[in-house]
Amino acid sequence: MKIFFKNLIIYLTSVALLTILIVPITSTSNLIWLSSMEMPVGLSEVFSVLLADLLNLGIILYLILLLPFGLGLIISKYTIKFIPLPANIWYFFISSLIMWLVLISTVEFLYQTEVIAGNRTSLGTFLHVMAGGIAGSVFYNLRYRMFV
């Protein structure tokens, strides 16, 4: 039972990290768009948008990412035996792939609406995918290196 709770806490922490990495990408994309529309974007707007997005969008993203990220970690755990890569790299790769699939599926399921705003550009998509990989690597490092 102790191992279950330890794994659960590491998993929830990794999803929280992923959410914290993703929200600023989306916020920055929205701020860049506002600036391109000649809206004034100052330092106070940047902080207020980041805080508002973290509190509002962050909770929704956290809930959206719980299931696919968890499935990615399960896939990583059971497929690593067949892959000649270091486990940390494999967790990074699968978590990145899952994040990319989440970005694609949210657009498809929501009638071509870009809810995750950073996904509107190639750079934003790349940063989201890298955030997924980082969260997968952090999970692996916490679970399999620090607590074994």
Side-chain angles (χ1 to χ4, degrees):
M1 196 62 150
K2 181 179 173 183
I3 293 172
F4 171 77
F5 284 116
K6 180 174 68 170
N7 286 329
L8 181 64
I9 289 169
I10 294 170
Y11 163 64
L12 295 175
T13 301
S14 298
V15 176
L17 173 66
L18 178 57
T19 303
I20 289 169
L21 290 173
I22 286 176
V23 169
I25 299 166
T26 298
S27 300
T28 303
S29 176
N30 287 333
L31 289 168
I32 290 170
W33 179 80
L34 283 175
S35 179
S36 74
M37 294 289 136
E38 299 184 15
M39 297 286 290
V41 177
L43 197 56
S44 63
E45 286 83 10
V46 170
F47 286 124
S48 66
V49 166
L50 283 172
L51 184 61
D53 283 352
L54 192 59
L55 295 175
N56 299 323
L57 179 63
I59 294 168
I60 294 166
L61 280 176
Y62 186 82
L63 295 174
I64 289 171
L65 295 171
L66 276 172
L67 181 63
F69 190 72
L71 290 173
L73 295 175
I74 291 168
I75 290 168
S76 296
K77 179 179 179 178
Y78 290 109
T79 58
I80 190 63
K81 301 168 193 164
F82 309 109
I83 306 300
L85 284 174
N88 193 22
I89 301 297
W90 186 244
Y91 273 77
F92 181 92
F93 175 75
I94 294 295
S95 298
S96 296
L97 179 64
I98 291 295
M99 189 63 222
W100 181 67
L101 292 172
V102 166
L103 293 172
I104 291 171
S105 61
T106 54
V107 172
E108 293 303 318
F109 289 142
L110 298 173
Y111 307 103
Q112 304 301 317
T113 304
E114 301 270 353
V115 176
I116 304 174
N119 193 28
R120 294 178 187 146
T121 65
S122 298
L123 177 61
T125 300
F126 174 76
L127 292 173
H128 283 302
V129 170
M130 289 297 105
I134 290 168
S137 286
V138 166
F139 175 84
Y140 173 78
N141 287 326
L142 287 175
R143 172 64 183 102
Y144 295 105
R145 288 193 179 166
M146 293 179 68
F147 295 114
V148 172

